[in-house]
Amino acid sequence: MTVAHTTAIALRGIDGEMVEVQADISTGLPGMSFTGLADAAVVEARDRIRAALQNSGVAWPDRRITLALLPADVRKVGSRFDLAMAVAVLIAAGAISDRSSDGCAWIAELGLDGELRPVRGVLPSVLAARRAGIGRVVVAAANAAEAALVGGIDVRGLPDLRAVIGWLNGDSPAPPRATAAPVEPAVQASLDLADVAGQAAAKRALEVSAAGNHHLYMMGSPGAGKTMLAQRLPGLLPALGDDAALEVSAVHSVAGAMSRDAQLVRRAPMQSPHHSASVAALVGGGSGVAAPGAISLAHHGILFLDEAPQFAPNTLDSLRQPLEAGRVVLHRSGGVVSYPARFLLVLAANPCPCGARERDCSCTPYTRRRYLQRISGPLLDRVDLRVHVEAVPHATLLHDGDVRESSAVVARRVADARAAAADRWRGLGIATNSDVPGAVLRTDRWRLGRSVLAAAEAYLERGELSARGFDRVLRLAWTVADLQGHSTPDAGDVSEAIYLRTGLVNSWAA
């Protein structure tokens, strides 16, 4: 019998790589051996494959079976190769035609009874198969709806190995082509900005943050509304486009966090890890091959760290590199993986560790300063917006006649501002103002006039703004101008940007 060939897909992060599975059955002592950097889960497949074939009515070839997973220098991790190896053994044994698996990739785990069981990471695997020119993918029935989210490829979901053999041998009809679940209509966020009483400055900061994708730091007394405001930020962000939705859903698929109805993630995700979270939980990690962390699950969405000074300082500082790069690269014993991590960071903090109201607080100035310094200067310098959330006066809280803007109204302004920014920076491949390099904003084409920048330059000269802070003020000014409908920022827009960045009152807030 000639060597049988099938195709599987290995995952490194959310990047898939085609793996050729070769099976050879020869004379010699009965047994099964593997080559090609197979981990323990792959090697353990020998027992799953044997039991699955026998329980599917196929006689086990009692000879020497060699399985090669190529390229041999790519690490093969997990049970996702079970079905491809089983089909290769069936072809090598003559149980099915050697032409039946041409142009097809196989992704499923096998149960001892022959059941095809779902695996994580099916969505990025099918994306990789489509890029590689594979025309058909066979998955477990439970993964079929997720796999069908990728257009332009034939997806078939089957319940067990017996159904696979009957289909390939022509003894049973071909399974229907899998289709994605119907797209559910977008539901308006249940948490509405209109629920927040007062807090005009904080609401404005929230709007600017959403419009330009600027990181936000809120500090204020307990009960002032910091968490309430942060929870309403997703309702201000636009729905994800097709490419972004596929990328976000791929990360969730690898993490095993896809929704039960196998729908693309269309709303900006929000992650709110507890302050006891480790570095690995936040940025990704684990033994062997690193899994995605909260920052990757918040890709194209929001990472909200409530009670931020309660996090370990080294955990907070682990965010610094991903904030700049938009990706996190993790080195582990199982190899190097990279996950996308372009998220909007929102920090919230009380002014002191006791968490009491200001009139009841007994913390010394040194205790307060030391507590807030747990958020390091380099991390805080990467946060564009800093707002003090004051306690809401009783009169404002209890007054029913005030007019409060809903999330839908603010979201429309945010959408218009984002559209203006995307149109402006289209030639640079940039969608939001927060991503524009400072060097671009200082070029002749985009440089603002001296009279417009006078206040910002004064803060820079006095050392109240760093060079990075100056660039962030420029980005904020462009976002404020977009919200105001200005073609370019004026002195008032820059002054508001300074106030939002430093909390210091300038001409705009005077």
Side-chain angles (χ1 to χ4, degrees):
M1 178 64 190
T2 59
V3 175
H5 304 260
T6 58
T7 300
I9 302 170
L11 276 182
R12 181 177 297 178
I14 62 169
D15 300 319
E17 183 169 350
M18 297 302 104
V19 171
E20 181 184 353
V21 179
Q22 296 183 350
D24 176 71
I25 299 179
S26 59
T27 57
L29 291 175
M32 181 182 287
S33 61
F34 298 83
T35 67
L37 282 181
D39 78 339
V42 178
V43 174
E44 289 170 354
R46 62 161 63 96
D47 297 319
R48 295 194 295 272
I49 293 172
R50 177 173 183 144
L53 263 64
Q54 290 176 330
N55 289 321
S56 299
V58 177
W60 179 253
D62 216 10
R63 288 182 288 169
R64 183 69 181 173
I65 303 173
T66 304
L67 286 166
L69 283 73
L70 308 173
D73 59 347
V74 173
R75 188 173 294 276
K76 321 303 186 305
V77 178
S79 57
R80 59 179 27 250
F81 304 95
D82 286 8
L83 180 58
M85 292 190 293
V87 173
V89 170
L90 287 168
I91 295 173
I96 57 178
S97 165
D98 61 348
R99 303 290 299 173
S100 57
S101 67
D102 288 353
C104 185
W106 309 82
I107 313 167
E109 176 184 282
L110 281 178
L112 297 182
D113 57 355
E115 178 190 6
L116 302 192
R117 301 175 61 84
V119 296
R120 293 183 179 185
V122 162
L123 179 60
S125 299
V126 178
L127 283 169
R130 186 180 67 177
R131 287 194 296 268
I134 300 292
R136 175 179 292 168
V137 174
V138 177
V139 299
N143 277 145
E146 178 184 339
L149 292 172
V150 181
I153 190 168
D154 182 3
V155 175
R156 305 298 172 107
L158 289 106
D160 51 42
L161 191 58
R162 188 183 297 272
V164 173
I165 296 170
W167 169 42
L168 296 180
N169 281 334
D171 298 330
S172 58
R177 184 169 180 167
T179 57
V183 178
E184 296 182 359
V187 178
Q188 179 66 34
S190 59
L191 300 177
D192 200 296
L193 200 60
D195 300 333
V196 182
Q199 302 297 5
K203 288 180 179 178
R204 176 63 172 177
L206 212 66
E207 181 178 346
V208 172
S209 174
N213 211 48
H214 300 287
H215 307 307
L216 172 64
Y217 174 45
M218 294 183 288
M219 199 265 283
S221 58
K226 303 183 296 295
T227 303
M228 191 176 186
L229 285 161
Q231 290 172 340
R232 282 149 180 79
L233 184 54
L236 307 184
L237 297 176
L240 301 180
D242 291 342
D243 292 342
L246 275 172
E247 193 173 30
V248 172
S249 300
V251 175
H252 285 236
S253 176
V254 170
M258 280 288 287
S259 61
R260 290 185 177 181
D261 56 1
Q263 296 240 344
L264 288 178
V265 179
R266 287 290 184 183
R267 296 204 66 85
M270 185 173 185
Q271 292 288 311
S272 304
H274 189 261
H275 60 74
S276 62
S278 64
V279 173
L282 200 60
V283 303
S287 60
V289 176
I295 63 173
S296 295
L297 293 172
H299 182 52
H300 287 308
I302 300 160
L303 178 69
F304 175 45
L305 302 185
D306 203 1
E307 306 294 346
Q310 297 285 0
F311 284 78
N314 67 313
T315 302
L316 290 174
D317 282 338
S318 68
L319 299 176
R320 287 158 55 180
Q321 184 269 339
L323 282 174
E324 293 291 332
R327 297 191 71 84
V328 59
V329 181
L330 303 169
H331 294 251
R332 295 295 185 272
S333 61
V336 180
V337 296
S338 174
Y339 291 107
R342 192 166 298 282
F343 56 92
L344 174 56
L345 176 64
V346 179
L347 304 172
N350 293 327
C352 64
C354 75
R357 292 177 298 179
E358 188 172 355
R359 66 184 182 186
D360 300 323
C361 177
S362 59
C363 297
T364 65
Y366 172 75
T367 300
R368 290 186 173 208
R369 184 170 64 252
R370 184 174 180 181
Y371 177 70
L372 293 177
Q373 284 176 345
R374 289 172 65 86
I375 306 176
S376 68
L379 174 61
L380 204 55
D381 204 33
R382 289 168 166 82
V383 179
D384 299 356
L385 292 157
R386 304 169 190 178
V387 60
H388 191 87
V389 183
E390 303 285 355
V392 181
H394 291 171
T396 302
L397 184 63
L398 299 176
H399 182 51
D400 292 329
D402 59 337
V403 178
R404 305 176 189 172
E405 286 188 316
S406 68
S407 293
V409 172
V410 178
R412 283 195 290 271
R413 288 202 300 268
V414 167
D416 292 341
R418 283 189 169 233
D423 184 64
R424 180 190 310 118
W425 309 120
R426 182 173 290 111
L428 301 175
I430 294 172
T432 57
N433 291 321
S434 64
D435 293 328
V436 183
V440 171
L441 295 176
R442 293 191 297 273
T443 59
D444 292 340
R445 175 172 173 76
W446 302 110
R447 184 185 297 120
L448 302 180
R450 294 298 299 272
S451 61
V452 174
L453 288 177
E457 290 178 351
Y459 277 86
L460 183 63
E461 290 173 2
R462 292 197 300 266
E464 294 173 342
L465 279 178
S466 66
R468 180 191 285 131
F470 181 79
D471 285 345
R472 292 185 182 275
V473 165
L474 294 181
R475 297 182 185 119
L476 281 171
W478 279 100
T479 300
V480 172
D482 289 336
L483 286 169
Q484 297 296 109
H486 299 161
S487 58
T488 57
D490 58 21
D493 298 330
V494 173
S495 293
E496 182 177 358
I498 293 171
Y499 174 71
L500 292 170
R501 168 71 182 176
T502 65
L504 299 175
V505 175
N506 199 58
S507 59
W508 171 79

